[in-house]
Amino acid sequence: MAQKNHWSDWQPLPGWNPSSDVLRETLDGGQSFRWTPDAGTTANPAREIWTGTWSTHLVQVRPQPDGLAWRSPLPAAAPALHRYLGLDTDWSAHTDALPWRSDPHLARCLAAFPGLRLLRQPFGETLLGFLCSATKQIVQIKQMLALLAERHGPLVCRAGSPNPAKAAFGDAALQCHQLPTWSHLASIPEKDLRACQLGFRARYIAETAQFLAAHPGWLDETERLPYAAAKTRLIQLPGVGEKVADCVLLFGAGKLEAFPVDTWMLKSLARRYGLDGWKPAQVAHFGRTHFGPIAGLAQQYLFSWERKFGGR
DNA sequence: TGTCCACCTTT
DNA sequence: AAGGTGGAC
């Protein structure tokens, strides 16, 4: 039985001061599927606390009037969170470099989600998440990954609530399991994967796991390659096409030129840029040329705006 | 950068 | 219908 860990005190997180809405959009808007919101406590009634897990880390963050606060029951969380949230990146410079001066809709999207940013998640976990994503909505993808972690992932820690009135294994403990590694996934029968509500995606994950097991170092090498070469390699994996590869490179490798085209991007560019009837490959080409080398950041703003304000 | 549809399961 | 992919034409 693992020992029970205790949450640290809340600590300030300088460098990013998002509103509750922008924080939610960043953590739970489709980049990551491993954050869950917690209702406000007596000490913090109106605002949300987010609990998230990646790699061997477990962290909570919450918005405050003067900036973000975080805490964790585990050591080494601070540098990991710093990297995960992209605090080492000058996002305002990136945003300013986008063509918002000549693109009114982009300007409107930037204004609607001030401070929105791209996460830098572990590469392998990002691949797993987006292999689950085909024709599924965020809530369902989160459910699949939660089941995979709960049934097949190692326990990260046992973190009790510091509030004795709340159950020790309440909300804060829900995400306590790590995702299974690719080498462990390779040992899981496909039927057990299907039992995690993966459907036809179970075969993709099983076959990708077999490939990665047969090619040690392949994933790490891929992460270090430049965008185009890395994408060419990722697309060789079963279940990984253009869209999934771009998501993995954008959210899991910091390749800002990746421009994933999903149904929301098709809608956005059809409605706001007049690209009716354009195919995904054509829209991707438009995105790369129109938005430039940081097209992935523009994509995230357009995506968030279309989901929140675009309707249907 | 061709088009069509099966693939699992849930909302 | 849902934040795709792969195989068949």
Side-chain angles (χ1 to χ4, degrees), chain A residues 262-278:
Chain A
D262 62 2
T263 60
W264 287 105
M265 271 307 102
L266 287 176
K267 281 179 199 168
S268 171
L269 295 208
R271 292 167 173 171
R272 318 300 161 199
Y273 293 81
L275 309 189
D276 295 280
W278 285 41

Side-chain angles (χ1 to χ4, degrees), chain A residues 89-98 100 116-117 297 301:
Chain A
T89 300
D90 188 347
W91 291 102
S92 57
H94 282 326
T95 304
D96 193 59
L98 291 172
W100 56 271
L116 183 71
R117 59 181 52 189
L297 182 59
Y301 279 99

Side-chain angles (χ1 to χ4, degrees), chain A residues 34 53-56 122-129 132 144-156 175-188 192-193 196 198 205 209 212 219:
Chain A
R34 296 281 286 156
T53 310
W54 72 96
S55 182
T56 59
F123 195 59
E125 292 188 3
T126 314
L127 173 62
L128 179 58
C132 294
M144 295 176 198
L145 292 170
L147 281 170
L148 276 173
E150 193 180 309
R151 295 181 182 177
H152 301 291
L155 198 59
V156 170
Q175 295 286 342
C176 243
H177 282 263
Q178 203 177 322
L179 251 16
T181 63
W182 279 107
S183 80
H184 182 46
L185 284 165
S187 72
I188 301 173
D192 292 345
L193 296 176
C196 295
L198 295 181
I205 289 168
L212 295 178
L219 208 50

